[in-house]
Amino acid sequence: MRLYQKSTSLFAKKNAISSVAVIGSGFAALSAASYLAQAGCTVDVYEKNGSIGGRARYLTTTNGYTFDMGPSWYWMPEVFEKFFADFGYEVPQLYQLEQLDPGFSVVYGKNDVINIPANFKGLCDLFESIEAGSSEKLKLFLDGASYKYKIGMEKLVYKPGLSLFEFADKDLIKGLFKLEVFNSFSKHIRRYFKDPRLIALMEFPVLFLGAMPEETPALYSLMNYAGLKLGTWYPEGGFGTVIDAMRTVAEKQGVNFYTNESVTKLNAAGKLVNEVVTTKQSKQYDGVIAGADYNHVESKLLESRYRNYNEKYWESRVMAPSSLIFYLGLNRKVAKLQHHNLFFDAGLQQHAVEIYKEPKWPSKPLFYVCCPSKTDATVAPEGHENLFVLMPLAPGADDTEALRKQYFDLIMSRLEKHTDTNIRTSIDYKKSYCVNDFVADYNSFKGNAYGLANTLMQTANLKPSIKNKHLDNLFYTGQLTVPGPGVPPSIISGKVAAQQMIKYLNKLS
């Protein structure tokens, strides 16, 4: 792989080498480890599972399927580009990207489907065909969302959330009104659109942001800009190729990986973590970055006197959803599916209530189907189909095999009706994944899949702190701290945490 001639190091290298342990190996942890090693630190990454990647691990089967186990939407490509550029790489050197067209499909009923074109003119024409005058309103809506995206992704997401003085920025202050932090996402959408199909289309990212649309700040219309204007992309081979690329970068910087090795305790003395204890060894470090589940690190690895938050605090948090997932291999092709398919043939409002307000298994669930074999021939045997089926679910919900089967049949009945295909008789690989698995594999608090909900009271400095308040050399990264859930924010979170650790270490030298 060709490296740039120009040095891209973000931090001055230290004369004295510091050692840092990173717990976990998801996007945030890999990002943090890479930046720390680039700065001259000796970095050890500890991963409890047999392969790295956290929720973005991939699953390969003996009969030729490769499944992304978690993330499948590649949005905000510039965040990935910035990360790799910081280490002298361009994305095409590491993996190939393809823009999807249509970006995704929304199913409202048996013969009521809209495909979201990659071309903006085509998108405007689509909106206009659904609601007269909506194409001009879409342009106005996305103009505002573009501003939020620019300020949000260039300013807000890189704030460590440790002081209100971080927001003493003229651009942030000047644009506070335009950011609409205190306005409701739901009301904001309805100022522009009336047709329920367009409203559902615009509100769908909120289901995964982790709150009711009326409780999510209108700031997050930046997600609509990302999905509708910047486009939906696919890394050839799946998200596992992105993890492999990040591991390549990390190892090039000198990062060491230890898989099948859980961290069981963080020993501390005074105001410092002085020892990391794993299932295989004990080792001293100058600093620790926790990329594992924040609640797990606090409640299981630290003595109570060193914890930022108690159990009451965590129980009061609004969590983003968990998920019921099915990985399905089919011995035939399936018509009427795109790469990404959102099944909105039931009401978003009712499903959202049953996640956030009255937690229970949903009565009429929305669900999502990813069929990457429509784009990528390498993820399934020839003539076969690869399906990733996901239903958002209240975190902490009861998880039994009987419930998994019940909802599998419910979802399959609707999917078979839409595709005119008997999918259940075509399955040659099936694996389910739900709340209990998120807890077992990732120590996930309440089995959440997406982290902390992006409500107003859980935004920026109101998220769990990136820094331990009692231990000077312990920092946190990932979806439960700043800037929040999602793959691009997690990559940024790793960079922010690494910057804070480097500042701390530089004070010692």
Side-chain angles (χ1 to χ4, degrees):
M1 295 176 186
R2 179 179 58 83
L3 288 173
Y4 293 125
Q5 297 280 324
K6 180 180 177 182
S7 171
T8 56
S9 178
L10 296 181
F11 311 106
K13 297 214 177 219
K14 293 166 56 63
N15 292 325
I17 296 176
S18 299
S19 60
V20 180
V22 176
I23 307 173
S25 67
F27 281 105
L30 289 174
S31 172
S34 298
Y35 285 114
L36 288 166
Q38 184 189 56
C41 296
T42 297
V43 182
D44 294 337
V45 173
Y46 293 101
E47 169 55 54
K48 72 183 289 290
N49 294 307
S51 58
I52 70 164
R55 286 166 170 78
R57 295 180 300 156
Y58 52 89
L59 167 68
T60 57
T61 72
T62 55
N63 57 343
Y65 295 99
T66 300
F67 296 96
D68 281 324
M69 294 192 71
S72 59
W73 291 81
Y74 195 106
W75 281 2
M76 306 181 188
E78 77 282 359
V79 174
F80 299 85
E81 292 167 3
K82 287 179 181 178
F83 171 79
F84 290 115
D86 282 341
F87 300 93
Y89 291 90
E90 293 178 329
V91 167
Q93 297 172 262
L94 300 164
Y95 54 89
Q96 299 304 307
L97 274 183
E98 178 179 346
Q99 185 171 13
L100 300 180
D101 191 9
F104 55 96
S105 176
V106 186
V107 179
Y108 298 102
K110 172 65 175 172
N111 296 306
D112 190 3
V113 180
I114 63 172
N115 293 318
I116 307 304
N119 177 273
F120 186 64
K121 183 182 182 303
L123 181 66
C124 290
D125 292 342
L126 172 65
F127 269 60
E128 195 65 27
S129 71
I130 295 172
E131 180 182 315
S134 64
S135 60
E136 290 304 314
K137 291 180 180 179
L138 175 65
K139 293 173 185 176
L140 290 173
F141 177 90
L142 290 179
D143 281 346
S146 171
Y147 176 83
K148 293 169 192 169
Y149 187 87
K150 179 177 174 59
I151 297 298
M153 297 307 295
E154 292 181 5
K155 298 277 187 177
L156 289 174
V157 294
Y158 289 96
K159 305 292 185 186
L162 297 173
S163 168
L164 290 175
F165 289 108
E166 294 170 16
F167 298 95
D169 180 294
K170 64 178 182 179
D171 290 333
L172 288 177
I173 295 171
K174 182 179 177 182
L176 185 61
F177 179 77
K178 291 174 68 176
L179 290 174
E180 298 191 272
V181 175
F182 302 105
N183 293 339
S184 157
F185 188 90
S186 178
K187 290 180 180 178
H188 181 64
I189 295 290
R190 284 162 176 78
R191 286 205 299 266
Y192 291 87
F193 309 106
K194 303 301 179 187
D195 189 283
R197 290 170 297 173
L198 295 184
I199 290 172
L201 166 64
M202 302 304 276
E203 285 187 339
F204 103 81
V206 174
L207 194 64
F208 301 98
L209 285 172
M212 300 288 290
E214 55 266 31
E215 295 176 358
T216 300
L219 166 68
Y220 290 103
S221 64
L222 64 86
M223 296 294 291
N224 300 108
Y225 177 78
L228 298 178
K229 200 68 182 288
L230 299 182
T232 302
W233 301 77
Y234 174 73
E236 185 178 322
F239 258 89
T241 62
V242 185
I243 289 293
D244 290 342
M246 292 184 74
R247 178 170 188 160
T248 295
V249 167
E251 290 181 332
K252 202 76 172 179
Q253 304 305 310
V255 174
N256 306 303
F257 287 92
Y258 299 90
T259 55
N260 289 313
E261 187 164 351
S262 299
V263 174
T264 57
K265 191 175 182 183
L266 297 176
N267 288 323
K271 292 179 68 66
L272 298 175
V273 175
N274 61 3
E275 186 178 45
V276 173
V277 181
T278 77
T279 49
K280 297 181 179 179
Q281 61 180 308
S282 299
K283 194 172 180 179
Q284 293 185 335
Y285 290 93
D286 297 308
V288 175
I289 287 187
D293 183 271
Y294 199 129
N295 170 266
H296 171 77
V297 172
E298 293 244 305
S299 63
K300 303 299 182 184
L301 306 188
L302 287 172
E303 294 181 33
S304 59
R305 58 183 166 145
Y306 296 123
R307 296 169 189 168
N308 278 351
Y309 308 104
N310 58 25
E311 184 177 345
K312 183 178 179 181
Y313 169 87
W314 286 108
E315 288 298 329
S316 71
R317 296 304 88 188
V318 180
M319 303 306 298
S322 185
S323 297
L324 171 63
I325 301 171
F326 296 102
Y327 309 100
L328 304 177
L330 309 182
N331 60 16
R332 59 171 295 169
K333 288 293 185 180
V334 179
K336 298 185 179 181
L337 285 180
Q338 302 295 336
H339 187 116
H340 295 298
N341 309 268
L342 298 165
F343 281 78
F344 277 24
D345 50 338
L348 183 150
Q349 182 70 14
Q350 182 62 31
H351 193 161
V353 165
E354 291 168 341
I355 292 175
Y356 304 115
K357 295 298 184 183
E358 302 167 8
K360 59 184 176 182
W361 283 73
S363 50
K364 294 181 179 179
L366 309 180
F367 62 95
Y368 157 66
V369 177
C370 182
C371 187
S373 46
K374 295 291 182 186
T375 304
D376 187 350
T378 70
V379 299
E382 185 177 355
H384 291 225
E385 213 80 279
N386 174 316
L387 296 186
F388 170 99
V389 182
L390 181 149
M391 182 190 80
L393 180 66
D398 288 338
D399 175 12
T400 67
E401 287 302 319
L403 282 166
R404 293 190 191 197
K405 182 181 186 308
Q406 175 185 336
Y407 278 82
F408 176 75
D409 288 334
L410 185 156
I411 291 169
M412 286 303 109
S413 292
R414 284 162 59 186
L415 185 58
E416 289 174 343
K417 179 180 178 181
H418 171 68
T419 59
D420 295 318
T421 303
N422 192 331
I423 289 174
R424 279 170 280 196
T425 61
S426 305
I427 295 172
D428 62 0
Y429 181 84
K430 176 185 174 185
K431 177 181 174 67
S432 65
Y433 202 92
C434 198
V435 173
N436 293 345
D437 300 297
F438 281 102
V439 173
D441 287 351
Y442 312 123
N443 297 311
S444 174
F445 180 59
K446 293 186 175 181
N448 81 83
Y450 299 99
L452 206 64
N454 278 325
T455 63
L456 176 59
M457 297 307 295
Q458 296 181 163
T459 295
N461 294 45
L462 299 177
K463 291 184 184 293
S465 177
I466 200 168
K467 183 184 185 305
N468 187 283
K469 300 169 186 176
H470 312 287
L471 299 167
D472 293 339
N473 63 344
L474 174 59
F475 296 87
Y476 304 86
T477 189
Q479 61 183 13
L480 287 175
T481 185
V482 291
V487 175
S490 291
I491 292 173
I492 293 168
S493 181
K495 181 176 183 178
V496 174
Q499 288 172 329
Q500 294 304 306
M501 178 65 80
I502 294 297
K503 286 181 182 179
Y504 162 75
L505 293 173
N506 281 340
K507 288 179 182 178
L508 302 182
S509 61

